[in-house]
């Protein structure tokens, strides 16, 4: 009987944590305003392994959703080294100025930057802290998806064991140009 009670409490705790993440995603993903992102970063006390498990739980709800680890400084303060990106495999035709996307650049790296202009050849993207536009355009062929949520985790909690798992997401760079 006590085991059932503990299991119920654990399930409720997991549900509450997931609900908090979803609410955070709604605030950060929908508005992506710097003040909200700064507040989320300051409060990030979740270890990497827990944030990654939560991110995978959210993305398991839709086969078109993927998790990426962010690395770089070009998207500060919204996205930093301690961020997981939740990405939706979106339609190229539904892209709009201001959307944060993940795409593969000409060197083969995954990049997470904001769309700033549509041209006949593709979308121009740029990091928030970059002075110049990305040298590669975002096209139908290199678009990975649109970021719909950002989860921040506690710096320094990444472990070699956690980083070397089958569930380890690909790294999306916030490149400086």
């Amino acid at each position: 009987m006590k085991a059932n009670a503990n299991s119920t409490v654990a399930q409720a705790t997991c549900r509450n944590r997931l609900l908090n993440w979803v609410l955070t995603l709604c605030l950060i993903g929908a508005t992506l305003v710097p003040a909200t992102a700064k507040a989320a970063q300051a409060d990030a006390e979740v270890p990497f392994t827990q944030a990654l498990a939560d991110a995978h739980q959210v993305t398991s709800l839709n086969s078109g959703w993927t998790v990426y680890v962010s690395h770089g400084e070009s998207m500060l303060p919204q996205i930093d080294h301690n961020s997981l990106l939740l990405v939706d495999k979106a339609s190229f035709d539904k892209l709009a100025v201001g959307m944060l996307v993940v795409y593969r650049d000409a060197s083969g790296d995954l990049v997470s930057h904001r769309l700033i202009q549509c041209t006949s050849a593709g979308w121009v993207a740029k990091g928030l802290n970059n002075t110049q536009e990305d040298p590669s355009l975002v096209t139908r062929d290199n678009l990975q998806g649109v970021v719909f949520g950002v989860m921040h985790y506690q710096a320094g909690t990444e472990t070699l064991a956690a980083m070397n798992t089958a569930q380890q997401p690909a790294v999306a760079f916030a490149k400086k140009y």
Side-chain angles (χ1 to χ4, degrees), residues 114-127:
R114 186 164 312 284
L115 298 177
I116 61 169
Q117 179 185 3
C118 185
T119 70
S120 60
W123 280 91
V124 178
K126 180 177 172 269

Side-chain angles (χ1 to χ4, degrees), residues 87-159:
V87 177
D88 182 18
K89 184 78 172 164
S91 166
F92 184 81
D93 297 326
K94 295 189 179 188
L95 295 179
V97 169
M99 287 182 159
L100 179 60
V101 298
V102 174
Y103 73 98
R104 198 167 292 280
D105 69 7
S107 65
D109 290 332
L110 291 169
V111 178
S112 58
H113 281 165
R114 186 164 312 284
L115 298 177
I116 61 169
Q117 179 185 3
C118 185
T119 70
S120 60
W123 280 91
V124 178
K126 180 177 172 269
L128 294 176
N129 288 313
N130 288 351
T131 56
Q132 13 181 355
E133 300 167 348
D134 295 0
S136 298
L137 292 176
V138 179
T139 65
R140 287 182 193 282
D141 295 332
N142 67 6
L143 176 67
Q144 303 299 301
V146 174
V147 176
F148 70 89
V150 179
M151 292 181 165
H152 301 281
Y153 58 88
Q154 186 178 8
T157 60
E158 309 87 342
T159 63

